[in-house]
Amino acid sequence: MKPLLLTVISFVCLTPLHAAETYTENPGKEGDGAFNIGPEYQIDPDLTDKGNAKGKTFTFSMKLADSKVFDGKDKTLEPDKKKVNTERKVTVYVPAAYQDGAKAPLLVIHDGPGQLKLISNALDNLTISKDAKRKLPAFVCIAVQNGGNDGKNSERGLEYDTMSDRLARFIHDEVLPAVLANAEIRAAYPKFALTENPWGRAVMGCSSGGAAALTMGWFRPDWFRRIIAYSGTFVDQQDDDAPEESKFPLGAWEYHSGMKLIETSELKPLRIFTHVSENDNRANDPEETYHNWVMAGMRTNIALDQKGYHHRYVFSKATGHCDKRVFEQSLADTLEWLWRGWEG
């Protein structure tokens, strides 16, 4: 990777978790900044199966009708045009390095287990690494399927493109308790536990899922603080009839343009990775939207950097939207950078 010229600011995070305790980490600035990758790609060996000990995978379903946050009946939805699922699958990977009874850090993955194989390989390989600079904590992966379809007036759009804390509340109040209560997980790990430390809670997504990852941290940094956004949808895809339109009329576009939320808001305790592909969403959208999409990702990068966030940005040449090749080459580096400094 060749770094672009980019000013990097490092800071020590000192955050109260409870009235009587604090948590401190100092990840340093290594890996912060902007990087180009491509146009040639190959899979990182750390994302392949090297024959190391495997963790355990669990899958269960949650009915939308049982949710108090996303019950599939929102007024913004058009179920006749965009089908709403009746249930969503949740896939949990507990790495072999996890010790039962420990409060595990976690990574929430939007849109289900699409990248889970790569991430589980990274965990199998890098939790046992002898290189302190190339090591991952034994975090639990929780891949959550969206509620169906895409774009405005869809359940997925409602969940991922809405500028509010609704998705964060859904994950925090409903999904995490369901994981902790799952009978199969409990049978395998009787003392299974997840950390309550927001620095031990990461969120990852691509496209609208990437924007949703930032939105979860942006609105609820008291719950989620490590963010991965590949090909982020930092354009206006929020439902036109959503209540949030009154506060954020341009949806995720407001982060970098319009209201310039990143620039004008107080610095939040977040560690953020963002990515843009050279041809991001070009194949499906008109030329004007394409330029806006790539522009939005670039502007988000600039805003985060100028504000002073611990931030890593990757621009991938000759690639498209949520391109498999980008994940295969960069995801191990992304995860290693994201978790640097974790002292849980």
Side-chain angles (χ1 to χ4, degrees):
M1 294 184 181
K2 296 181 180 179
L4 300 174
L5 182 61
L6 188 66
T7 303
V8 177
I9 299 176
S10 178
F11 59 87
V12 176
C13 303
L14 182 60
T15 306
L17 297 177
H18 303 289
E21 69 174 330
T22 60
Y23 170 79
T24 305
E25 65 177 33
N26 183 13
K29 66 180 182 180
E30 184 178 353
D32 292 10
F35 301 85
N36 286 335
I37 61 174
E40 302 298 326
Y41 295 88
Q42 61 183 5
I43 189 167
D44 189 313
D46 287 327
L47 298 174
T48 65
D49 187 346
K50 295 183 177 181
N52 293 318
K54 306 292 188 295
K56 292 181 171 63
T57 302
F58 307 87
T59 302
F60 62 92
S61 296
M62 300 178 68
K63 294 182 178 179
L64 269 69
D66 293 337
S67 175
K68 294 181 180 179
V69 182
F70 295 122
D71 62 3
K73 300 177 183 178
D74 196 273
K75 293 180 180 179
T76 64
L77 302 176
E78 295 181 354
D80 293 339
K81 297 180 180 179
K82 297 189 174 183
K83 181 182 177 181
V84 178
N85 296 337
T86 58
E87 62 181 27
R88 72 178 82 237
K89 286 186 178 180
V90 178
T91 305
V92 179
Y93 183 76
V94 182
Y98 172 70
Q99 299 294 317
D100 191 27
K103 288 191 172 183
L106 61 94
L107 171 65
V108 175
I109 306 169
H110 294 320
D111 285 319
Q115 287 79 46
L116 187 55
K117 182 58 178 174
L118 295 176
I119 298 171
S120 62
N121 283 341
L123 284 165
D124 298 342
N125 297 329
L126 296 179
T127 53
I128 59 173
S129 172
K130 303 300 183 182
D131 183 353
K133 293 185 177 181
R134 188 68 169 178
K135 192 175 181 66
L136 291 177
F139 60 83
V140 171
C141 296
I142 304 171
V144 185
Q145 189 180 42
N146 66 71
N149 221 285
D150 191 22
K152 295 185 178 184
N153 304 114
S154 72
E155 180 64 34
R156 181 178 184 269
L158 173 68
E159 294 169 7
Y160 292 173
D161 294 312
T162 303
M163 293 286 285
S164 75
D165 72 345
R166 289 180 68 177
L167 183 60
R169 286 189 287 112
F170 171 67
I171 298 296
H172 180 270
D173 296 348
E174 299 187 12
V175 175
L176 297 187
V179 171
L180 289 168
N182 182 266
E184 291 187 19
I185 297 176
R186 284 291 174 190
Y189 306 97
K191 298 179 181 179
F192 182 71
L194 298 172
T195 185
E196 289 115 19
N197 184 340
W199 281 113
R201 293 175 171 181
V203 189
M204 170 181 170
C206 195
S207 190
S208 289
L214 178 59
T215 296
M216 284 178 61
W218 187 263
F219 286 93
R220 295 310 303 254
D222 53 330
W223 289 342
F224 305 97
R225 293 189 178 176
R226 300 184 191 269
I227 310 300
I228 298 176
Y230 279 92
S231 289
T233 305
F234 298 117
V235 299
D236 183 11
Q237 277 198 179
Q238 184 170 260
D239 289 327
D240 295 331
D241 51 353
E244 288 80 8
E245 285 282 283
S246 62
K247 290 187 66 176
F248 308 104
L250 298 179
W253 187 261
E254 303 286 13
Y255 280 124
H256 53 83
S257 303
M259 298 173 69
K260 297 185 177 181
L261 291 172
I262 294 171
E263 177 183 331
T264 59
S265 300
E266 63 182 16
L267 189 69
K268 297 176 184 286
L270 300 173
R271 185 169 177 84
I272 304 169
F273 168 91
T274 62
H275 155 264
V276 175
S277 281
E278 183 175 7
N279 300 312
D280 230 319
N281 226 25
R282 188 173 192 175
N284 300 318
D285 285 349
E287 190 73 12
E288 182 179 357
T289 302
Y290 154 67
H291 284 306
N292 285 343
W293 200 288
V294 177
M295 179 196 304
M298 291 178 170
R299 286 183 176 179
T300 300
N301 159 51
I302 293 170
L304 290 169
D305 175 58
Q306 291 184 345
K307 190 67 177 182
Y309 280 95
H310 264 300
H311 175 229
R312 181 179 177 88
Y313 168 72
V314 167
F315 180 83
S316 57
K317 298 178 180 179
T319 51
H321 193 58
C322 295
D323 199 305
K324 177 183 178 182
R325 296 171 295 169
V326 177
F327 287 108
E328 290 180 340
Q329 178 156 317
S330 70
L331 190 50
D333 291 336
T334 299
L335 291 169
E336 179 270 319
W337 175 84
L338 188 78
W339 287 101
R340 183 176 296 137
W342 168 247
E343 299 292 343

